[in-house]
Amino acid sequence: MGPVYVITDPMAPYPVAEQARLAARGGAGAVQIRDKTLHDDDFIALVAMLLPEMTTRGVTLIVNDRVEVALRSGAHGLHIGQGDGDPTDIRARLPQGMIFGLSIETLEQAQRVPDCIDYIGAGPVRATATKPDHAAPIGFDGLAQIAAAVPVPCYAIGGIKPGDGAALRRAGAAGMAVVSAVTRAPDPAMATSNLLREWNTA
């Protein structure tokens, strides 16, 4: 999926669809559509609209939380949190080849990641305003412990900022999952491109 994974924010200045397009143009390897306010039908329409461009650019388009939206929209992947259901049961409903991600907040959870998971999002690394009810920050040391405990790629999430690339790579992360660093930047495409360049030169 590449080292830069952008998650949309419905409260950011750009519309969600434009955030996704700009991130893709900037070189994001994956874009997760996260908008808890959308009705399922509107969410499906949004994903279906974005899929052709994302597919053409080689960007993995992932749906946050909503299994039915992922199934009905033809999205490339689904990402769930700890409270979104049993991963094994959900995996059984997904088509073969659909990417399946899981949020991990603690080392204990990392040690119990089921075989059906393709990647994890580990964090929050730092406190973040985009998710006020987040778990306790794990820091870079906690990230390193989690990355070492899982057999799948680990994407660091939560308060990730420009300049973190080298530290994240040292901790064993496969990439960075960002929200505000891209969606609230004056130029989201340029912000994405800069993060990708930073990662590749770290």
Side-chain angles (χ1 to χ4, degrees):
M1 296 191 298
V4 180
Y5 180 135
V6 176
I7 301 169
T8 63
D9 177 4
M11 303 304 292
Y14 289 90
V16 166
E18 190 65 8
Q19 293 172 37
R21 291 191 179 103
L22 291 169
R25 292 169 194 169
V31 172
Q32 182 189 127
I33 306 299
R34 184 166 75 185
D35 188 341
K36 298 183 184 299
T37 66
L38 276 181
H39 184 277
D40 277 3
D41 289 342
D42 295 328
F43 205 146
I44 291 164
L46 173 62
V47 173
M49 177 183 67
L50 288 169
L51 265 173
E53 180 176 350
M54 299 296 120
T55 302
T56 297
R57 292 183 177 275
V59 178
T60 302
L61 187 60
I62 295 173
V63 167
N64 175 262
D65 287 349
R66 303 198 210 178
V67 180
E68 292 302 325
V69 170
L71 290 172
R72 291 170 55 195
S73 67
H76 300 134
L78 170 70
H79 187 95
I80 64 168
Q82 288 293 314
D84 293 325
D86 180 79
T88 303
D89 292 343
I90 294 172
R91 173 76 263 185
R93 299 181 58 197
L94 303 181
Q96 187 173 4
M98 181 176 279
I99 293 170
F100 191 25
L102 176 67
S103 294
I104 295 294
E105 300 165 342
T106 66
L107 180 58
E108 181 183 11
Q109 292 170 0
Q111 293 166 338
R112 294 185 283 106
V113 171
D115 293 339
C116 62
I117 295 299
D118 296 309
Y119 75 93
I120 66 160
V125 175
R126 297 187 182 93
T128 171
T130 59
K131 194 173 183 182
D133 60 344
H134 62 70
I138 60 174
F140 289 94
D141 289 342
L143 174 65
Q145 292 178 339
I146 288 172
V150 295
V152 295
C154 171
Y155 283 79
I157 187 169
I160 304 301
K161 303 181 295 187
D164 285 340
L168 295 175
R169 291 189 68 161
R170 285 195 300 270
M176 57 177 83
V178 297
V179 185
S180 298
V182 166
T183 65
R184 294 178 182 269
D187 184 339
M190 181 62 72
T192 304
S193 179
N194 289 341
L195 288 172
L196 181 59
R197 185 180 304 109
E198 175 194 331
W199 183 272
N200 288 334
T201 58

